[in-house]
Amino acid sequence: MHMIRRRAWEIPERLVTPEHLVVKRRSLLAGAAAMTILPSLLPGGAARADVPVNQAFQPGRPLTEEKYATTYNNYYEFNDSKSVWQEAQALKQRPWSIKLDGMMAKPRTIDIDDLLKQVSLEERIYRHRCVEAWAMTVPWTGFPLSRLLKIAEPLGSAKYIVFQTAQDKVMSGLSAPFYPFPYIEGVTIDEAANDLAFISTGLYGKPMPPQNGGPIRLTLPWKYGFKSAKAIVKISFTDKQPDTFWEAIAPSEYGFWANVNPAVSHPRWSQATERLLGSDERVPTQLFNGYAPQVAGLYSDRKNEKLFM
Ligand SMILES: Nc1nc2c(c(=O)[nH]1)N[C@H]1C(S)=C(S)[C@@H](COP(=O)(O)O)O[C@H]1N2
Ligand SMILES: [Mo]
């Protein structure tokens, strides 16, 4: 049978698989090959609208229910209340372009859909750990940040990649005093090249909801959540460590590295445990959010830096 594979964001909402089928399909595939192309499960034999699930990333925890992950959000451009999802619907997701600049041979602006034509999407289930000690486990659709590095072609002398979030008139929090918008985040080129570093354009098999950072955001699961900038409009390459949003606000509380570590307390609270969204269960926090085997090597030469705050 000829099967048409559509990309997640091209799917009309009515064709998206209901959540209970997605979960069932995942457990069916649990023992299958590392990357699996999914068969049709839609009624009427319609082509499945999905991307391959990368089975290399097993979260070891139940998925957070979608309704919690999409209604409890940090997005200070809107407000600081966690209840931004309704207001965020006003952020237009298309047209959307991303400016690439700084230390690169060909600075340019790319349309998001032109970028997405150059990548293969996959789904990965990652744990997410906010510095405030809540956590979730969700399926992201996207592509490795290393792929974006290849497309952008920074100069060999660039040491950092910097992400900047949109500033749109529908974001009512932008006028709040005190916060140094735009939201800027960055990592080293070595961190960006690590296979865990991900650019996400979807969540739960659907286009990324605006409140979760649609249409395109960063996903760095071994770092506290604030490193994962939402609604990216600019990506720059530089040889200087960038002044990041939260570090500028409170350097002793939210450092540049911000790697998860249960043994290093935030100045105002312990990081030893985390609260799972939905169940409110408290579970132990893990070093690098449980991703130490993949990322600890990135830091072997940086023992004297404040890697964990
Ligand atoms: N632009 C922008 N990106 C952001 C934030 C923000 O306020 N603005 N909050 C960060 C924080 S603190 C966390 S925990 C995650 C939350 O992502 P989620 O709402 O998808 O759970 O987004 C991060 N990215
Ligand atoms: Mo966070």
Side-chain angles (χ1 to χ4, degrees), residues 276-295:
L276 303 182
L277 283 194
S279 69
D280 282 349
E281 189 191 341
R282 282 214 92 92
V283 300
T285 288
Q286 306 172 73
L287 181 62
F288 293 109
N289 199 22
Y291 296 103
Q294 292 94 329
V295 298

Side-chain angles (χ1 to χ4, degrees), residues 70 73-75 77-79 83-93 96 168 170-172 208-215 230-231:
T70 56
N73 303 98
N74 272 332
Y75 208 156
E77 287 85 340
F78 288 96
N79 62 63
S83 303
V84 302
W85 71 269
Q86 282 157 308
E87 198 184 329
Q89 302 312 307
L91 183 64
K92 261 183 80 181
Q93 306 287 289
W96 192 275
D168 191 280
V170 303
M171 295 168 152
S172 62
M208 184 68 71
Q211 64 272 29
N212 292 96
K230 296 180 170 183

Side-chain angles (χ1 to χ4, degrees), residues 74 76 111 193 195:
N74 272 332
Y76 281 70
D111 180 80
D195 187 42

Side-chain angles (χ1 to χ4, degrees), residues 52-230:
V53 177
N54 190 332
Q55 301 282 350
F57 303 97
Q58 297 291 338
R61 283 182 189 174
L63 277 192
T64 302
E65 267 185 73
E66 182 178 354
K67 66 177 177 196
Y68 298 114
T70 56
T71 59
Y72 183 92
N73 303 98
N74 272 332
Y75 208 156
Y76 281 70
E77 287 85 340
F78 288 96
N79 62 63
D80 60 5
S81 75
K82 308 275 187 288
S83 303
V84 302
W85 71 269
Q86 282 157 308
E87 198 184 329
Q89 302 312 307
L91 183 64
K92 261 183 80 181
Q93 306 287 289
R94 291 291 192 282
W96 192 275
S97 57
I98 301 166
K99 185 175 181 189
L100 302 174
D101 73 3
M103 298 178 70
M104 53 192 303
K106 285 175 278 172
R108 59 201 188 269
T109 296
I110 44 173
D111 180 80
I112 187 172
D113 294 311
D114 291 336
L115 170 65
L116 291 174
K117 276 181 206 139
Q118 300 175 57
V119 305
S120 314
L121 292 178
E122 60 182 86
E123 184 180 279
R124 294 183 180 189
I125 303 173
Y126 278 163
R127 295 178 298 274
H128 171 100
R129 172 55 156 87
C130 175
V131 72
E132 299 163 331
W134 56 268
M136 62 182 186
T137 305
V138 297
W140 305 98
T141 305
F143 57 95
L145 179 52
S146 61
R147 177 76 194 120
L148 188 126
L149 289 178
K150 291 207 180 72
I151 293 168
E153 294 182 293
L155 300 182
S157 46
K159 292 194 171 64
Y160 299 89
I161 179 169
V162 186
F163 301 85
Q164 184 175 316
T165 293
Q167 299 182 88
D168 191 280
K169 57 184 182 316
V170 303
M171 295 168 152
S172 62
L174 287 179
S175 56
F178 182 64
Y179 293 115
F181 293 112
Y183 199 99
I184 302 274
E185 260 310 336
V187 293
T188 63
I189 298 283
D190 288 350
E191 291 177 311
N194 187 277
D195 187 42
L196 272 182
F198 204 59
I199 294 279
S200 301
T201 55
L203 193 64
Y204 297 93
K206 302 171 193 171
M208 184 68 71
Q211 64 272 29
N212 292 96
I216 186 163
R217 70 171 287 172
L218 191 55
T219 306
L220 302 168
W222 73 100
K223 291 179 177 284
Y224 289 117
F226 66 85
K227 295 294 293 183
S228 294
K230 296 180 170 183

